[in-house]
């Protein structure tokens, strides 16, 4: 399977620990720059239909603002309830000022 990366946003558009919501092929994705890395995670909480990009980023996790589950930006796994299912995370590449994301899901 070939992995197709597409431009999500500019690196210079990202502020540390401030998620940016983008849509790629109709899929809402939250792009997060934190601790020198850039991550891409599906923007909808696995517990209810809530945009994760409106939550806070801390310690490599993004917090759902509604009920407080935190999702690991590397694995998408929740650290605690009420969410029990992971959210998809996506590979990211940086090319110059371009943040490229592949919607191929990492397992
Ligand atoms: S909607 Fe995200 S934890 Fe409940």
């Amino acid at each position: 399977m070939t992995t197709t990366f597409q431009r999500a946003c500019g690196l210079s558009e990202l502020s540390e620990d401030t998620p940016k919501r983008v849509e790629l092929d109709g899929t809402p994705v939250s792009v997060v720059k934190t601790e020198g890395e850039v991550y891409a995670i599906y923007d909808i909480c696995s517990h209810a239909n809530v945009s994760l990009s409106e939550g806070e980023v801390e310690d490599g996790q993004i917090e759902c603002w509604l009920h407080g589950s935190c999702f690991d930006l590397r694995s998408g796994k929740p650290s605690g309830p009420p969410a029990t299912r992971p959210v998809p995370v996506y590979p990211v590449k940086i090319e110059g000022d371009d943040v490229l994301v592949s919607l191929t899901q990492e397992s």
Side-chain angles (χ1 to χ4, degrees):
M1 187 170 72
T2 47
T3 306
T4 310
F5 281 86
Q6 54 187 307
R7 187 180 187 278
C9 60
L11 187 58
S12 54
E13 292 171 47
L14 296 174
S15 306
E16 182 79 9
D17 293 344
T18 305
K20 181 177 178 60
R21 181 185 165 116
V22 298
E23 286 219 357
L24 302 174
D25 294 341
T27 301
V29 176
S30 181
V31 183
V32 180
K33 183 170 90 169
T34 186
E35 297 169 353
E37 295 283 338
V38 178
Y39 300 96
I41 186 165
Y42 185 59
D43 193 43
I44 308 297
C45 184
S46 63
H47 180 237
N49 190 11
V50 167
S51 179
L52 292 177
S53 59
E54 292 169 26
E56 298 201 340
V57 174
E58 206 180 309
D59 295 334
Q61 299 186 327
I62 189 165
E63 180 180 27
C64 177
W65 59 267
L66 190 56
H67 304 119
S69 281
C70 292
F71 296 90
D72 189 298
L73 288 164
R74 287 188 174 80
S75 66
K77 292 200 178 103
S79 64
T84 54
R85 284 171 294 126
V87 291
V89 291
Y90 308 106
V92 174
K93 269 199 315 201
I94 308 293
E95 279 182 10
D97 185 53
D98 291 335
V99 177
L100 307 175
V101 172
S102 167
L103 290 185
T104 309
Q105 189 177 332
E106 282 188 342
S107 56

